[in-house]
C-alpha cells in the first residue's frame, strides 16, 4: 500500500468541504447577477468533486472495506437500517 493512502480520508474531507463552499458561493454569485464569478465557482466545484471521486476510489481500492466495530446496544440498532 502506498504511503499516502492513510491521508486520503483527510483529503476527501477537504475536497468535499471545498466543493460545498464553492457551490454555495456560486449560488450567491448568481443571485447577485455576477455570472462570471458563478461560472468560475461551478467549474471549480466540478473539478474538486472529480478530484474527490478519484481520491475516494483510490483509498477504497487500497484500503478495502471497513466493518462496523461497534459494541453493545448500538450494534443491534444500526443493523435495523
Amino acid at each position: 500500500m502506498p504511503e499516502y493512502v492513510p491521508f486520503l480520508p483527510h483529503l476527501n474531507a477537504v475536497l468535499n468541504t471545498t466543493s460545498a463552499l464553492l457551490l454555495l458561493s456560486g449560488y450567491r454569485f448568481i443571485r447577485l447577477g455576477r455570472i462570471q464569478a458563478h461560472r468560475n465557482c461551478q467549474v471549480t466545484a466540478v473539478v474538486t468533486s472529480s478530484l474527490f471521486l478519484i481520491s475516494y476510489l483510490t483509498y477504497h481500492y487500497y484500503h478495502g472495506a471497513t466493518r462496523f466495530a461497534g459494541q453493545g446496544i448500538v450494534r443491534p440498532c444500526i443493523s435495523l437500517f
Side-chain angles (χ1 to χ4, degrees), residues 8 14 37 39 48-49:
L8 289 179
V14 169
R39 182 182 182 279
T48 57
S49 292

Side-chain angles (χ1 to χ4, degrees), residues 14-27:
V14 169
L15 290 170
N16 256 351
T17 302
T18 302
S19 182
L21 292 174
L22 286 164
L23 289 171
L24 290 172
S25 297
Y27 175 76

Side-chain angles (χ1 to χ4, degrees), residues 35-57:
I35 296 169
Q36 188 61 38
H38 164 76
R39 182 182 182 279
N40 291 342
C41 282
Q42 303 302 41
V43 169
T44 308
V46 167
V47 170
T48 57
S49 292
S50 299
L51 292 173
F52 162 78
L53 179 61
I54 292 166
S55 176
Y56 179 85
L57 292 175

